Amino acid sequence: QQFIINASQPASDKIFDVSAFEKFLNDKIKVDNRTGNLGDTIQISQVGSEGKIEVVAHTQFSGRYLKYLTKKFLKKQQLRDWLRVVSTSQGVYELRFFNVVNDEADDDDE
């Protein structure tokens, strides 16, 4: 199974550290209920320089678990108020900014 987390949008704005996130995943992903037990079953790598992380699992692995860990990392970095994790297709997650609606702009239309 192959999962991709696309963090190119926040990484290009310099608010998301992709290498720190990769290290976080290496430290936190559990295999057989133990952290730091990745071995050959799960490989985590950065794809290119545009802020994508690829997780290749050779055992049963849940995409929801990856989403959960991503949210946990965002909370730890205090970015959870600005970024959200969206699944764009099967096995692909993307970090997007919340759409901020400006109230003053709406008043001008009336």
Side-chain angles (χ1 to χ4, degrees):
Q1 286 174 306
Q2 179 182 6
F3 299 95
I4 291 178
I5 301 173
N6 185 356
S8 53
Q9 205 177 7
S12 63
D13 290 347
K14 304 273 191 288
I15 68 164
F16 189 81
D17 188 0
V18 181
S19 53
F21 179 54
E22 185 184 10
K23 183 183 181 313
F24 176 83
L25 288 178
N26 270 312
D27 295 342
K28 295 286 182 182
I29 287 181
K30 288 186 175 183
V31 179
D32 298 329
N33 295 326
R34 295 174 64 196
T35 57
N37 191 19
L38 295 182
D40 296 331
T41 53
I42 295 178
Q43 281 115 17
I44 302 169
S45 60
Q46 285 190 45
V47 182
S49 60
E50 66 268 1
K52 285 185 182 174
I53 287 188
E54 181 182 52
V55 178
V56 179
H58 300 296
T59 60
Q60 185 179 5
F61 192 77
S62 164
R64 296 284 303 167
Y65 181 53
L66 211 54
K67 185 174 181 179
Y68 160 78
L69 286 173
T70 306
K71 286 177 167 182
K72 193 171 175 160
F73 179 78
L74 290 175
K75 182 73 175 170
K76 190 176 158 193
Q77 302 292 319
Q78 292 157 353
L79 296 171
R80 191 85 172 81
D81 296 336
W82 292 282
L83 293 172
R84 65 191 192 134
V85 186
V86 182
S87 176
T88 51
S89 64
Q90 187 173 5
V92 179
Y93 292 94
E94 188 176 337
L95 294 181
R96 290 188 182 162
F97 289 101
F98 281 112
N99 292 335
V100 180
V101 179
N102 222 348
D103 291 338
E104 295 110 37
D106 294 343
D107 294 341
D108 296 340
D109 296 338
E110 294 174 4

